[in-house]
Amino acid sequence: MAIYLTDGSFEALLCAVYATYRSPAPVAIVDRSAYQASLLDDTVEVTTDPGIARRVLEGIDNVSDGQAGRLCLMIFLSEFADAPLLVCRLIRKLMRVRQADYLKNYADSDVLRAAQIRKMMDREIHRMHAFVRFQQGQDGFWYALVDPDFDVLPLLDDHFVRRFADMGWRIFDVRRGYGIAYDGEQVRLIDSLGAVLDPLRAQLDEARLDGQETAFQEMWKAYFKAVNIPARENRRQHLRQLPPRYWKYLSEKQLQRPERPTDLNLRDR
């Protein structure tokens, strides 16, 4: 039994699974940067090899009708403490039975746990699709800040590329300190917000927004207020569908200014 040390990436996790076939079974798979050495630990250093990671990913997709790769990625991105070992056990079991139906065998505790995590991740992805609010900066790009419960940013790009294919946009996960950017052609990773976040917040300050962005936000707040029917308000249902933890980045949940937005020129949008 050993502790596997990786660089913390999904590719490294797949390489760790590959290494289990020729090394002692792991009791933990951890990011070496967070590992505290102990003389009693038997450790296995895992080298990240994109070729091996690709072979593992293609192998599990081939025997699962293309289901297992995304499922394992979702488990990894959930950030649960048991996620790396769960991925390892799922892949080894799947490659042993080599049947896609294995992922529906909820009598297996690992499959059941994986299904529970996938449900939580799907819910968070759906909420991000609904709750991301872009603001246009003076540089012409559209910016959004998010703070999801799980690390779902890598699973959002396809949706927003399809929905806003003709826009240049940036989505930043402020909790995890990275983002994704789309320039109208391809998506790239902004792997650190260390030197970006403060200028970004300044960019999203009212004084640095596009000339009409503030007025459009006020229109959206006015619409949101107008469609509400106080006599039929169901606050419990509202809080369930729109949890308060998402409110800080929703423009309709910010205070509305008393003046009406009258300086709009829709032809310029």
Side-chain angles (χ1 to χ4, degrees):
M1 307 293 275
I3 296 176
Y4 283 48
L5 305 180
T6 74
D7 64 11
S9 67
F10 181 59
E11 290 79 6
L13 175 56
L14 296 179
C15 291
V17 176
Y18 182 83
T20 63
Y21 287 94
R22 62 181 187 277
S23 300
V27 294
I29 303 175
V30 300
D31 186 339
R32 64 172 57 88
S33 65
Y35 171 68
Q36 294 184 352
S38 170
L39 294 176
L40 301 179
D41 289 343
D42 179 17
T43 60
V44 174
E45 287 282 348
V46 177
T47 301
T48 303
D49 185 326
I52 291 177
R54 185 163 50 250
R55 284 176 57 190
V56 174
L57 195 61
E58 291 174 352
I60 61 178
D61 274 341
N62 287 339
V63 298
S64 66
D65 297 333
Q67 303 175 58
R70 181 175 174 84
L71 174 60
C72 289
L73 176 60
M74 294 176 79
I75 296 171
F76 171 76
L77 293 174
S78 71
E79 303 175 318
F80 285 113
D82 63 337
L85 280 180
L86 176 59
V87 168
C88 181
R89 292 195 301 269
L90 276 176
I91 291 178
R92 288 183 62 97
K93 289 179 180 178
L94 180 61
M95 296 306 293
R96 184 171 65 248
V97 301
R98 306 185 76 84
Q99 294 178 359
D101 286 346
Y102 163 70
L103 297 179
K104 298 179 181 178
N105 179 20
Y106 301 121
D108 186 309
S109 60
D110 288 332
V111 176
L112 179 61
R113 173 63 173 160
Q116 293 169 339
I117 292 177
R118 176 169 53 192
K119 183 176 181 179
M120 289 185 282
M121 291 288 287
D122 281 337
R123 183 186 300 117
E124 192 71 0
I125 291 169
H126 175 72
R127 285 172 171 169
M128 288 296 102
H129 290 170
F131 299 154
V132 168
R133 296 290 183 267
F134 288 99
Q135 303 178 64
Q136 188 174 28
Q138 291 181 352
D139 59 1
F141 284 102
W142 296 80
Y143 295 88
L145 301 178
V146 297
D147 186 12
D149 287 347
F150 306 115
D151 186 9
V152 297
L153 209 57
L155 304 173
L156 300 180
D157 56 341
D158 287 347
H159 170 82
F160 287 104
V161 166
R162 290 194 304 268
R163 187 173 181 184
F164 304 115
D166 59 345
M167 290 168 41
W169 47 258
R170 313 278 190 267
I171 305 176
F172 298 95
D173 185 331
V174 297
R175 181 185 303 189
R176 296 165 184 87
Y178 80 103
I180 53 176
Y182 179 66
D183 59 7
E185 295 183 358
Q186 61 182 0
V187 177
R188 64 181 177 86
L189 176 69
I190 301 174
D191 57 6
S192 175
L193 299 186
V196 174
L197 195 55
D198 287 341
L200 172 65
R201 293 187 188 279
Q203 175 72 29
L204 296 182
D205 284 345
E206 181 181 339
R208 299 291 299 278
L209 293 176
D210 178 81
Q212 296 185 125
E213 176 63 27
T214 301
F216 267 97
Q217 289 186 20
E218 292 305 314
M219 284 185 64
W220 174 241
K221 294 174 189 177
Y223 169 78
F224 185 79
K225 182 178 179 180
V227 297
N228 182 49
I229 304 175
R232 301 184 63 181
E233 183 174 332
N234 185 337
R235 185 162 180 80
R236 178 178 297 180
Q237 178 72 359
H238 178 73
L239 294 177
R240 194 172 81 173
Q241 297 295 329
L242 187 60
R245 65 180 179 273
Y246 298 102
W247 290 8
K248 58 185 173 182
Y249 297 126
L250 295 180
S251 54
E252 63 267 33
K253 286 297 185 180
Q254 311 309 312
L255 293 176
Q256 186 175 2
R257 298 175 183 80
E259 64 269 17
R260 297 177 60 83
T262 58
D263 58 343
L264 293 177
N265 182 355
L266 297 180
R267 295 183 178 180
D268 292 340
R269 296 294 279 193

